[in-house]
């Protein structure tokens, strides 16, 4: 008990005030590392990446957040009755899917350089990378979604995230 008391005193809590458009989320164990935002533009500015939804899609139940002041961004939404989680983090970050299997995380830390797709019993996941960083898209589908449907959404988002990049001439692509 004394050891725990000493640890508590050694790490005093710091108070921060969220900026406009942010909401501090407090969990049962203290401050949650996620700060919720009200727009994708604010999330993308904070993370230096480009999270988006499939073009023209009727997206519902949006949740936008940034972890640890820009370490990772997350966009959760419902599309066609299925729940998606779309994340971005720097390329050097280990597996950001948040999904573990008996053998460890879904994706190896070593990145092969092309789009990886993993199909599980309850979800489908994809990971790709560009010069901004690493993207992961997951849909919780319980095996209901056709692989081709998921792949077409992944391909669209890969194209959109790559088109968001600005080259040396100030042009996209």
């Amino acid at each position: 008990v004394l050891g725990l008391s000493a640890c508590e005193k050694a790490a005093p809590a710091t108070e921060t005030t969220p900026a406009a458009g942010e909401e501090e989320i407090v969990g049962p164990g203290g401050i949650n590392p996620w700060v919720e935002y009200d727009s994708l533009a604010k999330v993308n500015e904070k993370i230096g990446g480009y999270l988006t939804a499939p073009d023209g899609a009727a997206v519902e139940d949006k949740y936008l957040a940034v972890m640890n002041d820009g370490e990772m961004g997350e966009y959760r939404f419902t599309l066609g009755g299925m729940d998606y989680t779309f994340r971005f983090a720097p390329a050097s970050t280990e597996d950001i899917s948040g999904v573990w299997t008996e053998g460890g995380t879904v994706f190896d830390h070593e990145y092969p350089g092309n789009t990886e797709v993993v199909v599980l019993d309850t979800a489908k996941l994809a990971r790709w990378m560009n010069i901004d960083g690493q993207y992961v898209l997951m849909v919780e589908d319980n095996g209901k979604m056709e692989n081709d449907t998921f792949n077409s959404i992944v391909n669209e988002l890969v194209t959109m995230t790559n088109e968001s990049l600005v080259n040396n001439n100030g042009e996209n692509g």
Side-chain angles (χ1 to χ4, degrees):
V1 173
L2 288 176
L4 293 175
S5 297
C7 290
E8 273 185 36
K9 290 180 183 175
T14 58
E15 291 187 26
T16 58
T17 304
E22 300 178 5
E23 178 185 331
E24 188 173 51
I25 304 166
V26 180
I31 304 283
N32 188 320
W34 292 94
V35 175
E36 192 170 345
Y37 286 78
D38 59 4
S39 78
L40 269 173
K42 290 177 184 174
V43 169
N44 287 328
E45 178 182 327
K46 197 74 170 171
I47 64 175
Y50 183 67
L51 292 176
T52 186
D55 213 14
V59 173
E60 301 171 340
D61 302 326
K62 298 177 187 177
Y63 169 82
L64 304 160
V66 173
M67 185 172 88
N68 294 334
D69 198 33
E71 184 178 307
M72 179 167 53
E74 180 173 280
Y75 179 23
R76 283 188 262 160
F77 56 90
T78 301
L79 176 63
M82 295 195 187
D83 296 324
Y84 289 81
T85 301
F86 192 22
R87 289 183 170 168
F88 169 85
S92 60
T93 307
E94 293 189 28
D95 183 2
I96 61 172
S97 69
V99 177
W100 286 264
T101 63
E102 291 176 7
T105 57
V106 172
F107 297 112
D108 293 329
H109 179 58
E110 193 64 36
Y111 190 75
N114 54 3
T115 304
E116 294 177 273
V117 176
V118 174
V119 177
L120 304 173
D121 290 340
T122 59
K124 293 175 177 52
L125 298 93
R127 176 173 71 166
W128 65 95
M129 194 175 297
N130 60 29
I131 61 172
D132 281 342
Q134 174 186 176
Y135 292 87
V136 169
L137 177 70
M138 178 179 75
V139 61
E140 297 175 49
D141 72 337
N142 291 313
K144 296 176 187 172
M145 179 184 280
E146 295 292 328
N147 290 346
D148 289 345
T149 302
F150 182 68
N151 288 335
S152 70
I153 293 170
V154 169
N155 289 334
E156 181 179 353
L157 290 175
V158 168
T159 300
M160 291 172 79
T161 54
N162 287 335
E163 286 176 353
S164 72
L165 301 173
V166 177
N167 65 24
N168 293 334
N169 299 325
E171 301 166 343
N172 288 347

